[in-house]
Amino acid sequence: MPRIALVILMLAATSSPASAQGRPTRFWNLTRYTISEFYLAPAGTTNFGPNQCKNDKDGTVDHDERLRITGLTAGRYDAKLIDKVGRTCVVKDVEVKDGVFAIEEKQLTSCEQK
């Protein structure tokens, strides 16, 4: 019986990191408003990729909703978002990793109102 418990413990310890690496990347909107456009560019550049909101069924990301991110690898990015109240904001040097990364309202320091 102790041998079985040891095998189960070893399998659990080795499977956790492997499954974490395979998790899809998702953005968690912790800003105050619904986001209608969300772009990512390698940190320090303005080479923004496609609008990631197109990955959502309704094309927006509500407050406290998660959005599937496609077409990039883990790393540091600048994020540009446009929300439903007309703000365009840039957040510099966001760490994007496998699993979930978030942007909070307090991180929105560079915003312009349309």
Side-chain angles (χ1 to χ4, degrees), residues 50-105:
N51 178 6
Q52 295 286 336
C53 284
K54 291 184 177 181
N55 298 332
D56 191 75
K57 284 187 270 185
D58 69 359
T60 64
V61 187
D62 296 326
H63 166 75
D64 201 29
E65 183 181 2
R66 290 167 182 84
L67 170 70
R68 183 174 49 94
I69 300 297
T70 61
L72 27 123
T73 59
R76 296 200 106 30
Y77 292 85
D78 292 344
K80 178 170 74 172
L81 61 91
I82 300 172
D83 62 28
K84 287 285 191 168
V85 296
R87 293 185 304 177
T88 299
C89 303
V90 175
V91 181
K92 303 271 186 193
D93 204 31
V94 175
E95 182 181 6
V96 174
K97 54 188 175 185
D98 291 340
V100 178
F101 71 97
I103 294 178
E104 300 177 29
E105 186 70 27

Side-chain angles (χ1 to χ4, degrees), residues 28-64:
W28 187 8
N29 180 14
L30 295 178
T31 69
R32 190 177 314 165
Y33 301 109
T34 297
I35 295 172
S36 56
E37 296 180 42
F38 186 74
Y39 306 93
L40 293 163
T45 74
T46 57
N47 300 330
F48 289 101
N51 178 6
Q52 295 286 336
C53 284
K54 291 184 177 181
N55 298 332
D56 191 75
K57 284 187 270 185
D58 69 359
T60 64
V61 187
D62 296 326
H63 166 75
D64 201 29

Side-chain angles (χ1 to χ4, degrees), residues 1-12:
M1 196 68 160
R3 180 179 270 174
I4 293 172
L6 180 60
V7 169
I8 291 172
L9 182 61
M10 288 175 59
L11 286 173

